[in-house]
Amino acid sequence: MIEVPSPLRLRLDRDALVANWRWLAARSGPAACGAAVKADGYGLGARAVMRHLAAAGCRDFFVATWAEAAALMPLPEGVSLSVLHGVGASDMVAARTLPVRPVLASLAQVARWREAGEGRPCDVMVDTGMNRLGLRVEEAMSGALDGLRIETLLSHLASADEDSDQNAGQLAAFRAVREAVLARRYSLANSAGICLGADYAFDLTRPGIALYGGTPRGEAEGHIRQVVYPETRILQVRDVPAGESVGYGATWTAPRASRVAVANMGYADGFLRCHAAAGGGASWQGRSLPLIGRVSMDLIAFDASDAGAISEGDWLALDYDLPQTAVRSGLSQYELLTGLGKRFARIWD
Ligand SMILES: *Cc1c(COP(=O)(O)O)cnc(C)c1O
């Protein structure tokens, strides 16, 4: 097959990824710091994220499904991987074959693992108030887990990105479960939970979004570095006379004779119309190019009137500071990353 370069790319900053993990590891105190790499490493590419973080010393990784786990084989030396969604009946072949632990998430899954797991170690999720996945606290404390080889007992915070009373409530519930259920390690905090302080760290933390440049809470501001830099190539630069419009629905009209750069990216790449609704844009050689008109499926337009000699083939760097872009677009930082589509080449510096 011939190699065809993509006109869209994500520049990915390995040093920033590793620096973010180191900051989160330091904030986790004596607890180990793992990494959530579900949804293909939040869109960056799980295999590369795992390789870079494993080289930096990260040992504990989490994916959502067995298909994601299988895609990460073989694992780097000394690394452990857990599947957050546990084991359904159709997962047992994968669960018995792969060197990966399920995070058992219901009494039915516990029974399934006892019957067919051949005494292998597992992780267990206890629900302390989110009502998503996990055994209820009273189920976990009823003896239902006796005799299982539990490597890590987990719970997950529902509101750690807010100053909510729910955080202290979940912490107290998790402490009670920890007294009652024997496991080698206990783990509660995601990125935002790490920011809540040392009480939440226990033996292992599980950041995701902050590794990839998201700021989960104010405590992380100024410490978390941007990792993902989307870039798109210009297809053509057009002269648009004053008074003519650009794009579907003619939502932008040139206020003066304008130069318009049309680039290779659209909502099919995760760059949704709501990005454009409230401003934003791109930059080229230090000049900013405001986004104009509606985002098409594969195309997007910028006002390049003040961008000098910009021309076909030039690369534009999108404004993609995650906290700012989230506020502007109304999308979460998580949606901004995981939505970035398959047409972007992922290129690590
Ligand atoms: C996704 C996830 C994480 C990571 O959460 P962030 O908010 O991205 O840090 C940790 N634990 C569980 C159970 C998760 O589902």
Side-chain angles (χ1 to χ4, degrees):
M1 222 168 71
I2 54 165
E3 191 125 325
V4 182
S6 175
L8 301 90
R9 65 189 181 196
L10 299 182
R11 285 204 304 103
L12 301 167
D13 185 338
R14 183 184 58 96
D15 291 347
L17 173 78
V18 169
N20 291 342
W21 180 74
R22 292 221 164 95
W23 185 78
L24 292 158
R27 287 281 306 198
S28 300
C33 184
V37 295
K38 60 201 186 188
D40 202 18
Y42 288 44
L44 281 70
R47 180 175 284 280
V49 167
M50 189 181 236
R51 182 161 32 92
H52 296 322
L53 292 181
C58 183
R59 290 289 168 263
D60 301 276
F61 293 87
F62 297 86
V63 289
T65 69
W66 289 96
E68 290 182 335
L72 286 172
M73 297 299 122
L75 295 176
E77 191 64 28
V79 150
S80 103
L81 182 64
S82 299
V83 172
L84 288 164
H85 293 186
V87 273
S90 59
D91 298 324
M92 281 309 296
V93 172
R96 276 201 300 254
T97 314
L98 298 174
V100 176
R101 290 192 306 276
V103 181
L104 304 179
S106 67
L107 286 177
Q109 290 194 355
V110 169
R112 185 173 293 131
W113 195 247
R114 279 192 196 284
E115 196 174 313
E118 296 160 354
R120 292 175 57 185
C122 59
D123 296 342
V124 171
M125 175 68 75
V126 177
D127 183 77
T128 51
M130 190 173 187
N131 276 306
R132 197 175 62 169
L133 292 179
L135 278 72
R136 294 187 62 81
V137 168
E138 57 276 17
E139 290 172 342
M141 292 169 60
S142 69
L145 297 171
D146 291 356
L148 271 186
R149 279 176 66 196
I150 305 177
E151 171 66 24
T152 309
L153 187 88
L154 298 79
S155 191
H156 191 50
L157 297 164
S159 304
D161 55 343
E162 293 166 27
D163 290 324
S164 160
D165 292 342
Q166 192 178 17
N167 296 326
Q170 288 195 261
L171 178 61
F174 191 61
R175 283 187 169 140
V177 175
R178 185 176 64 146
E179 292 306 312
V181 179
L182 186 67
R184 199 173 75 79
R185 297 191 297 181
Y186 299 85
S187 174
L188 177 63
N190 61 349
S191 302
I194 292 169
C195 294
L196 289 177
D199 284 356
Y200 288 80
F202 293 91
D203 304 307
L204 169 68
T205 57
R206 314 183 303 268
I209 192 73
L211 294 170
Y212 309 116
T215 305
R217 290 180 58 92
E219 291 87 344
E221 258 166 46
H223 299 287
I224 293 298
R225 287 165 56 183
Q226 185 169 348
V227 178
V228 180
Y229 295 86
E231 297 185 345
T232 173
R233 262 185 122 170
I234 295 178
L235 267 168
Q236 57 177 246
V237 181
R238 312 175 63 86
D239 290 311
V240 177
E244 289 194 10
S245 62
V246 169
Y248 283 121
T251 58
W252 186 85
T253 302
R256 55 173 169 161
S258 301
R259 301 199 78 213
V260 170
V262 179
N264 269 289
M265 185 177 68
Y267 55 76
D269 304 300
F271 205 85
L272 307 181
R273 281 186 178 174
C274 51
H275 279 82
S283 63
W284 178 76
Q285 297 194 350
R287 323 235 184 164
S288 53
L289 289 78
L291 221 158
I292 56 176
R294 255 188 215 155
V295 178
S296 301
M297 186 184 293
D298 320 293
L299 294 168
I300 189 166
F302 300 90
D303 183 355
S305 304
D306 299 323
I310 197 164
S311 65
E312 177 185 330
D314 286 338
W315 286 93
L316 295 177
L318 273 294
D319 298 341
Y320 222 72
D321 171 88
L322 285 177
Q324 275 178 28
T325 309
V327 169
R328 200 167 55 218
S329 64
L331 297 170
S332 70
Q333 299 178 67
Y334 300 83
E335 291 166 302
L336 289 170
L337 286 181
T338 59
L340 291 168
K342 289 196 178 61
R343 292 195 290 199
F344 285 99
R346 279 139 170 98
I347 298 167
W348 290 88
D349 289 342

